[in-house]
């Protein structure tokens, strides 16, 4: 069954300590791989869309990359305000998504 | 982008009752969706709310349990009927703005439902 698996479930970093979040997907014929950020009590907020292996997108301290089976969200020199849950989602059909359960990131000052 | 207002933001309900959740968008949108997010789990699509016709439900979700209305291009409601504690969850609406070529979804803040 097509699904999205995110790891780790939770990640605690010190401010400035770079790391990566992983998203593994299984659907064939990927239409798009999406990354969202979700803060407590809020809905997911769009970050990136990736469509083909080798593609990279950057925004401030975040960079998303895509291979044929995985996507990574790299966080460089994170700050406490980067603390949130990061969700990835694969589009398997038009406007239909499988979401991962997320990685809860906590950045300590 | 689109600004989405969801009401109520949270509620505590008794078993066997129903709750209607409202989703209002600040612009006309073609696509509106309803999701459920259970604690520690991923978002699961409940249905696509179609303007002027019945909603399209995903596997495992039925109209009798989750009736949806979409009277116009800026508003939709989701009702959680005959609630049980298993319905305790966060319910989110999302939209894809009509003026965008991409399929980025924008989400409301969600309704946190607890059923006693």
């Amino acid at each position: 069954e097509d699904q999205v698996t995110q790891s780790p479930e939770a990640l605690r970093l010190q401010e400035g300590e770079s790391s990566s979040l992983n998203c593994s997907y299984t659907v064939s014929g990927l239409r798009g791989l999406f990354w969202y950020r979700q803060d407590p009590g809020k809905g997911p907020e769009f970050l990136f869309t990736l469509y083909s292996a080798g593609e990279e997108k950057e925004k401030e301290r975040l960079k998303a990359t895509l291979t044929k089976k995985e996507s990574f969200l790299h966080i460089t020199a994170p700050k406490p305000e980067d603390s949130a849950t990061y969700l990835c989602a694969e589009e398997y059909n038009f406007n239909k998504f499988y979401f991962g359960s997320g990685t809860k990131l906590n950045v300590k000052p | 982008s689109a600004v989405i207002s969801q009401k109520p933001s949270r509620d505590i309900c008794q078993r066997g009752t129903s709750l209607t959740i409202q989703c209002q968008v600040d612009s006309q949108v073609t696509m509106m969706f309803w999701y459920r997010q259970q604690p520690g789990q991923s978002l699961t699509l409940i249905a696509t709310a179609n303007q002027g016709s019945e909603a399209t439900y995903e596997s495992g979700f039925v109209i009798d349990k989750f009736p949806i209305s979409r009277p116009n291009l800026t508003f939709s409601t989701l009702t959680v009927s005959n609630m049980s504690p298993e319905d305790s969850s966060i319910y989110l609406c999302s939209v894809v703005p009509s003026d965008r070529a991409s399929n980025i979804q924008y989400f409301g803040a969600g309704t946190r439902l607890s059923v006693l």
Side-chain angles (χ1 to χ4, degrees), chain A residues 18-32:
Chain A
S18 301
S19 188
S20 297
L21 282 54
N22 176 263
C23 172
S24 299
Y25 63 93
T26 60
V27 74
S28 57
L30 179 72
R31 295 173 62 95

Side-chain angles (χ1 to χ4, degrees), chain A residues 31 34 36 38 40-46 49 51 87 91-102, chain B residues 31 33 35 37 40-45 48 56 58 90 92 96 102-110 112:
Chain A
R31 295 173 62 95
F34 293 69
Y36 287 85
Q38 187 172 23
K42 296 188 177 181
E45 177 186 347
F46 171 75
T49 310
Y51 292 103
L87 303 170
E91 188 182 20
Y92 64 94
N93 205 340
F94 182 63
N95 277 313
K96 298 291 180 71
F97 298 85
Y98 290 123
F99 278 85
S101 53
Chain B
M31 310 290 288
F33 306 90
Y35 286 84
Q37 186 176 29
Q41 297 188 28
S42 59
L43 278 74
T44 303
L45 180 64
T48 303
T56 305
E58 298 300 306
I90 299 172
L92 296 145
V96 176
S102 69
N103 47 4
I104 298 168
Q105 295 198 7
Y106 295 87
F107 289 83
R112 187 179 296 271

Side-chain angles (χ1 to χ4, degrees), chain B residues 18-32:
Chain B
S18 298
L19 176 72
T20 295
I21 302 167
Q22 298 180 4
C23 179
Q24 178 75 53
V25 192
D26 68 339
S27 58
Q28 292 187 344
V29 295
T30 305
M31 310 290 288
M32 292 183 77

